[in-house]
Amino acid sequence: MKLNVRAVIYGFVATVIVGLLSGAVVPFTDMSLPAVGYGLTGVIGGLVAGYVAGGSLGNGALNGGVATIVGALVALVILTLIGTLAAGLLGVGIFVAGIVLLVVAAIPGAVGGAIGAWAKGRSETRMTGRPTA
């Protein structure tokens, strides 16, 4: 298993974009955005990282997990800053709850990374024909 920096960056960007788009609430309003959730966010970021990394399932899982953790951490910090500006001290509660969920986000990221690596291997096999022994 090897950590692919390019795969982690792609997965990180996907995780941050999906994480920010599914943020907790719209600042200065009572309106909530439809939350995608940490699970689906992790799977999407992991899929991107795993597909870019390719290789074995373990390699995809490693890259997907790392990309998801880094991306979720950045999205959490940004949402905490926005929440603190909008709600004051209650915005810090987002950060505390987010740290707990950050650990849980690595699991769907690793699963998504493994699926992404599998999908890349499957598409490469389809493009080149049968794998050589």
Side-chain angles (χ1 to χ4, degrees):
M1 291 190 295
K2 183 179 175 191
L3 192 64
N4 185 335
V5 176
R6 187 175 69 130
V8 170
I9 290 171
Y10 285 0
F12 159 77
V13 169
T15 302
V16 168
I17 290 171
V18 173
L20 290 177
L21 290 178
S22 68
V25 295
V26 177
F28 307 113
T29 68
D30 292 336
M31 187 173 74
S32 294
L33 292 174
V36 173
Y38 282 96
L40 188 58
T41 302
V43 169
I44 292 171
L47 274 169
V48 171
Y51 190 83
V52 172
S56 67
L57 294 179
N59 189 42
L62 172 70
N63 286 289
V66 170
T68 301
I69 291 246
V70 173
L73 182 62
V74 170
L76 175 64
V77 168
I78 291 171
L79 288 173
T80 300
L81 290 174
I82 292 171
T84 303
L85 290 174
L89 190 58
L90 294 176
V92 178
I94 295 173
F95 184 75
V96 173
I99 290 297
V100 173
L101 293 174
L102 187 66
V103 175
V104 177
I107 296 169
V111 170
I115 293 170
W118 171 79
K120 182 173 184 175
R122 184 170 164 85
S123 67
E124 285 177 351
T125 302
R126 199 175 320 140
M127 294 175 115
T128 60
R130 302 190 92 172
T132 58

